[in-house]
């Protein structure tokens, strides 16, 4: 999975198609979508329109948390493939833990998508560590990735350690804290030192970490290009020490169906 991807929420319709086509043209090869974003068809249209071959692009999609009964999940997965105009998806995730669900049956269904080849890899998103451990160690699911909120002001040390021990990628969502990083004085200071942008500092800090990928959402060509160029930024120990000193408890995404994070 390329370490830098394009997030697509909350883009819809033509805006989403155009942004994905443009990103692929600029050099992105990793696109993040989900059934819950109502934009898989727009992404599918972009995959078809793009000059970049489908096999060269990593596409992640996800099943919403109220579709985790096996029959619902199969129907949702098939709708995802249909919308993406593809007979496979590179990575398929459970978007959030379910409520009153049969975890073993849900995971068995997820694993079946990998076994039949229609999901090249499988994973989960927004699972707290104890639930992730259960899926990996008790249910023996061959997970390749966990996607969670992770950025300069939200730590994920325990999940990241676990991901590394189990050879999983950790995909950082909201990596720019929805552009709030542009207003953090320490990031402005590091950015000024290197003649780059605070957003690029925030992204490179993530991308420099082993097993970490990041999926900033950007609609405009300028923002997409700037985010791509973050890969060229060189941070030093002094920069990393300054970022380490920022608060690490600033969670942004916490809907009412979220799990208990520290469970
Ligand atoms: N698994 C989950 O539960 C979950 C939850 C949330 C998000 N996600 C995924 O993660 C992706 C990214 O997260 P996010 O959208 O919450 O937050 P984000 O990527 O941190 O921030 C996106 C915002 O930052 C702006 N931006 C992007 N690049 C910029 C730049 N170089 N300079 C200034 N502003 C810039 C964008 O504006 P423009 O669009 O105008 O460029 C947009 O408003 C989502 O799109 C989605 O695919 C997953």
């Amino acid at each position: 999975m390329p370490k830098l991807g394009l997030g697509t929420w909350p883009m819809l319709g033509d805006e989403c198609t155009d942004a994905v086509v443009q990103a692929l043209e600029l050099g992105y090869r990793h696109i993040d979508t989900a059934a819950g974003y109502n934009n898989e068809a727009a992404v599918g249209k972009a995959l078809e329109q793009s000059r970049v071959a489908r096999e060269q692009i990593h596409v992640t999609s996800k099943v919403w948390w109220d579709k985790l009964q096996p029959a619902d999940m199969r129907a949702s997965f098939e709708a995802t493939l249909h919308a993406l105009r593809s007979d496979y998806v590179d990575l398929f995730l459970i978007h959030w833990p379910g409520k009153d669900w049969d975890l073993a049956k849900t995971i068995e269904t997820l694993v079946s998508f990998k076994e039949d080849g229609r999901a090249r890899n499988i994973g989960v998103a927004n699972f707290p560590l104890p639930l992730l451990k259960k899926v990996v160690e008790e249910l023996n699911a061959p997970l390749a990735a966990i996607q969670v909120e992770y950025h300069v002001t939200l730590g994920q040390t325990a999940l990241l350690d676990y991901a590394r021990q189990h050879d999983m990628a950790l995909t950082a969502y909201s990596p720019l804290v929805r552009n709030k990083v542009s207003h953090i004085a320490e990031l402005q200071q590091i950015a000024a030192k290197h003649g780059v942008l605070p957003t690029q500092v925030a992204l490179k800090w993530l991308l420099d970490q082993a097993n970490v990928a990041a999926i900033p959402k950007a609609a405009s060509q300028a923002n997409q290009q700037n985010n791509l160029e973050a890969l060229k930024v060189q941070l030093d120990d002094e920069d990393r020490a300054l970022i380490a000193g920022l608060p690490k408890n600033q969670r942004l995404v916490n809907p009412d169906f979220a799990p208990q994070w520290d469970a």
Side-chain angles (χ1 to χ4, degrees):
M1 176 165 76
K3 272 178 97 77
L4 182 68
L6 180 78
T8 62
W9 177 87
M11 295 186 288
L12 297 170
D14 288 347
E15 185 202 8
C16 181
T17 301
D18 294 348
V20 173
V21 170
Q22 171 182 268
L24 294 170
E25 203 60 36
L26 291 175
Y28 284 79
R29 293 292 180 267
H30 169 178
I31 308 294
D32 183 79
T33 181
Y37 300 167
N38 294 314
N39 65 12
E40 288 171 307
V43 171
K45 202 169 160 188
L47 296 175
E48 203 168 81
Q49 275 180 19
S50 174
R51 293 188 294 184
V52 181
R54 172 68 186 88
E55 313 84 73
Q56 290 176 27
I57 307 166
H58 171 101
V59 180
T60 295
S61 197
K62 320 182 189 85
V63 57
W64 196 238
W65 64 268
D66 65 353
K67 297 280 185 291
L68 299 180
Q69 303 297 334
D72 293 344
M73 206 167 151
R74 281 192 287 272
S76 178
F77 183 58
E78 272 151 30
T80 286
L81 294 180
H82 181 74
L84 290 172
R85 306 182 191 196
S86 196
D87 51 12
Y88 69 95
V89 67
D90 298 270
L91 178 62
F92 193 65
L93 308 178
I94 294 174
H95 205 149
W96 291 88
K99 306 272 175 239
D100 305 321
W101 55 332
D102 184 331
L103 176 67
K105 283 215 165 73
T106 297
I107 297 300
E108 192 182 298
T109 309
L110 181 70
V111 172
S112 75
F113 302 151
K114 179 173 163 66
E115 285 172 351
D116 69 23
R118 293 181 301 164
R120 297 265 161 96
N121 280 291
I122 52 171
V124 296
N126 298 303
F127 275 35
L129 184 56
L131 187 58
L132 178 65
K133 279 188 173 170
K134 201 166 174 180
V135 172
V136 172
E137 294 170 34
E138 289 177 33
L139 302 174
N140 298 314
L143 302 189
I146 169 137
Q147 183 177 125
V148 288
E149 181 176 344
Y150 182 35
H151 45 71
V152 289
T153 51
L154 183 70
Q156 288 292 7
T157 311
L159 270 179
L160 187 51
D161 285 349
Y162 191 79
R164 287 177 180 148
Q165 282 160 22
H166 293 269
D167 206 19
M168 290 164 54
L170 186 148
T171 306
Y173 76 66
S174 305
L176 302 174
V177 203
R178 300 190 178 151
N179 197 30
K180 287 194 180 70
V181 295
S182 292
H183 310 290
I184 298 175
E186 289 84 346
L187 293 196
Q188 291 172 341
Q189 184 187 325
I190 299 167
K193 177 174 131 187
H194 296 289
V196 300
L197 298 166
T199 46
Q200 294 175 320
V201 172
L203 284 177
K204 192 58 177 0
W205 177 78
L206 288 166
L207 298 171
D208 276 342
Q209 299 174 40
N211 295 48
V212 175
I215 47 168
K217 175 262 172 181
S220 70
Q221 180 166 342
N223 284 349
Q224 288 184 356
Q225 183 73 45
N226 283 336
N227 295 345
L228 205 52
E229 284 174 10
L231 286 163
K232 297 185 200 150
V233 173
Q234 295 226 343
L235 300 178
D236 58 34
D237 287 347
E238 187 186 58
D239 305 332
R240 280 184 283 273
L242 211 49
I243 293 172
L246 294 173
K248 298 291 178 203
N249 59 357
Q250 311 286 298
R251 189 180 292 280
L252 187 76
V253 180
N254 201 12
D256 52 12
F257 50 81
Q260 203 187 322
W261 296 109
D262 52 2

